[in-house]
Amino acid sequence: MQSFVLYNPTKIIFGTDTVKEIGPETAALGRKILLVFGKSSIKRNGIYEQVVASLAGAGLEIIDHGGVVSNPHLSHVRAGIDKARKNAVQAIVAVGGGSVIDSAKAISAGALVDHDVWQFFKGKKSIRKTLPLTCVLTLAAAGSEMNGGMVLTNEETRQKFGVGNRLLCPKVSILDPTLTFTVPPDYTAFGAVDAIAHILEFYFTTRDQSTPVQDRFMEGLVLTIMESCDRVLRDPLDYQGRADLMWSATLALNGWTAAGLGMVGFPMHMIEHSLSALYNIAHGAGLSIVMPAWMRCQARLRPAKFIQFGQRVFALSGNDEACAMEGIKRLEDWFISVKSPTTLSQAGIAAEDIPVIAENALALAKIWRLNEYNKDIIMEILAACC
Ligand code: NZQ
Ligand code: ZN
């Protein structure tokens, strides 16, 4: 285990009937707020009315900024920054999944600087201050509700970059599992895949050989995510299943799993962000394509952790590379069982596109300092996704 500092400033209010807290919690941060949300789901399922009632009930003035799309667009964030400035909002409320929360984070940082917000994502400018942000989570997946990360798509350059800063952490996030009852099966599964990927990025990229506390925490989260996702796909109104999935997805990327692992990377995400940027596929769907291929390439180089994964997560008895490969296949079989794609062709992506995808991913590899990934290595991994 390595030395570490663990700091997470986000207050989590978890459970049924908690949306009514968003008004009082936000009123402590400002009187005029920008309300950021997606295309239509919260208007269809009644969450919008609940949130507005709580905000208005707390005496807040609300400026709507709806229309966030999946793989959220830079242009929509720029429009939100303009709105935030023109109305001199004092706080931002995000109601949705990772795309909405990330857009709100980008607005919270971009509204307070005179340069373009994309400069943060290119690593050209650092975040020094943000407007306070509160969230109501409606989809268990990205973990953005309790971390300092944000991911945005520059639809002009067709790049999807992510940046992290603890100032982006929401002040308060409301996690009511009943709000996810209306999440369709595909995004339920994509969210579970995303959360598993967050865990395995750290689990497999740490170079520390002795991390038993984190390993069992992460292995347990992976098992719980698979079990609770299966429950919810059987019964979308299964509260316990939705609650376990929601809390596991938040824990998967709030700093706790990575504490003590030392240097870790996000290589599977580095490649997947290009699939989302270039083909606008769901983030989790891109990850279920990339993950098995990346894992097989890595297992040949460093089999030990993959053998442990197969033994602990899938109760395999072997102790060799065959066990490592069988564990990867079991995970891939689970992706197939929840109908998340596992090949580029299933997502309609042609093998001929691999050089363009690899070139696109290389730009993010450089920003994220994933120096062991050159174009050939990325192409090799993508070739194994066909
Ligand atoms: O737009 P609406 O109409 O609201 O529909 C959304 C959207 O179409 C729908 N949805 C959300 N809550 C719902 C619902 N439908 C019915 N009932 C509900 N309760 O679900 C669709 C997908 O929403 P989205 O926010 O895009 O999904 P997710 O939460 O998976 O977020 C994905 C984004 O998060 C980023 C990804 O890159 C991607 O852009 N990530 C953010 C991270 C972070 N900030 O730490 C890390 C992650 O690795 C990830 O990169
Ligand atoms: Zn992710």
Side-chain angles (χ1 to χ4, degrees):
M1 181 188 285
Q2 306 292 306
S3 303
F4 66 90
V5 172
L6 179 60
Y7 170 79
N8 192 311
T10 305
K11 174 180 178 184
I12 297 290
I13 301 176
F14 190 101
T16 55
D17 197 24
T18 49
V19 172
K20 64 180 185 303
E21 304 301 335
I22 192 67
E25 291 290 343
T26 308
L29 302 165
R31 309 306 300 170
K32 196 175 198 183
I33 63 103
L34 187 76
L35 180 59
V36 183
F37 53 94
K39 298 178 300 290
S40 60
S41 73
I42 66 167
K43 296 272 178 95
R44 283 199 313 270
N45 58 22
I47 294 171
Y48 178 83
E49 286 72 19
Q50 288 180 58
V51 167
V52 166
S54 176
L55 294 171
L60 295 177
E61 188 182 343
I62 304 164
I63 314 287
D64 269 10
H65 189 58
V68 175
V69 296
S70 280
N71 302 318
H73 288 172
L74 174 59
S75 56
H76 190 265
V77 162
R78 284 172 174 156
I81 288 168
D82 287 347
K83 216 180 259 187
R85 283 194 188 127
K86 278 200 186 81
N87 292 282
V89 302
Q90 295 141 336
I92 298 181
V93 178
V95 183
S99 293
V100 168
I101 299 171
D102 286 2
S103 296
K105 287 180 178 178
I107 295 167
S108 79
L112 301 183
V113 291
D114 51 14
H115 61 72
D116 184 47
V117 67
W118 189 246
Q119 295 288 79
F120 291 133
F121 293 85
K122 293 196 300 186
K124 300 290 184 216
K125 292 284 184 183
S126 301
I127 296 166
R128 300 262 185 265
K129 50 186 185 310
T130 53
L131 286 170
L133 167 67
T134 58
C135 302
V136 176
L137 183 67
T138 68
L139 200 169
S144 191
E145 64 279 8
M146 194 179 183
N147 72 29
M150 62 177 178
V151 181
L152 208 51
T153 300
N154 182 329
E155 65 272 35
E156 287 157 26
T157 63
R158 303 180 75 198
Q159 290 171 316
K160 183 171 184 187
F161 290 172
V163 65
N165 186 301
R166 68 167 60 170
L167 293 170
L168 295 170
C169 286
K171 301 291 183 219
V172 181
S173 285
I174 308 287
L175 273 59
D176 176 347
T178 65
L179 304 191
T180 64
F181 280 171
T182 52
V183 177
D186 57 353
Y187 272 99
T188 297
F190 297 155
V193 171
D194 190 16
I196 288 171
H198 298 152
I199 295 161
L200 298 188
E201 295 271 22
F202 299 153
Y203 185 84
F204 289 122
T205 58
T206 178
R207 290 286 181 270
D208 191 315
Q209 305 297 317
S210 171
T211 54
V213 174
Q214 296 85 345
D215 287 358
R216 284 196 166 83
F217 178 29
M218 291 189 276
E219 291 151 4
L221 280 178
V222 170
L223 277 167
T224 306
I225 290 166
M226 291 194 290
E227 286 163 8
S228 52
C229 181
D230 289 344
R231 280 180 62 161
V232 164
L233 291 177
R234 284 194 297 274
D235 174 9
L237 305 183
D238 176 337
Y239 176 81
Q240 201 49 56
R242 289 287 190 185
D244 294 343
L245 186 55
M246 179 177 253
W247 188 226
S248 300
T250 301
L251 287 170
L253 200 59
N254 72 346
W256 286 81
T257 57
L261 294 181
M263 276 301 285
V264 288
F266 236 40
M268 294 186 272
H269 274 71
M270 174 266 289
I271 296 172
E272 192 295 315
H273 283 176
S274 291
L275 299 183
S276 290
L278 295 171
Y279 305 97
N280 194 29
I281 63 172
H283 176 56
L287 284 165
S288 55
I289 293 169
V290 171
M291 243 191 280
W294 179 86
M295 288 170 72
R296 289 188 175 105
C297 291
Q298 289 294 310
R300 288 186 198 99
L301 299 172
R302 282 185 289 276
K305 200 65 175 281
F306 293 86
I307 292 168
Q308 176 179 308
F309 177 74
Q311 292 167 340
R312 299 243 183 105
V313 175
F314 293 107
L316 298 176
S317 55
N319 196 12
D320 56 9
E321 191 177 309
C323 173
M325 293 304 171
E326 178 59 22
I328 297 167
K329 183 171 180 325
R330 296 287 181 93
L331 182 65
E332 186 177 50
D333 288 346
W334 185 78
F335 293 156
I336 293 166
S337 76
V338 299
K339 299 185 176 50
S340 200
T342 52
T343 65
L344 291 173
S345 55
Q346 283 172 6
I349 299 171
E352 296 76 66
D353 292 2
I354 284 176
V356 170
I357 300 167
E359 195 62 44
N360 186 286
L362 202 54
L364 185 53
K366 288 196 173 82
I367 294 173
W368 281 0
R369 297 196 183 94
L370 293 169
N371 302 322
E372 72 272 29
Y373 288 86
N374 60 33
K375 186 171 176 183
D376 289 344
I377 288 175
I378 297 172
M379 284 178 62
E380 182 195 333
I381 294 164
L382 287 165
C385 301
C386 288

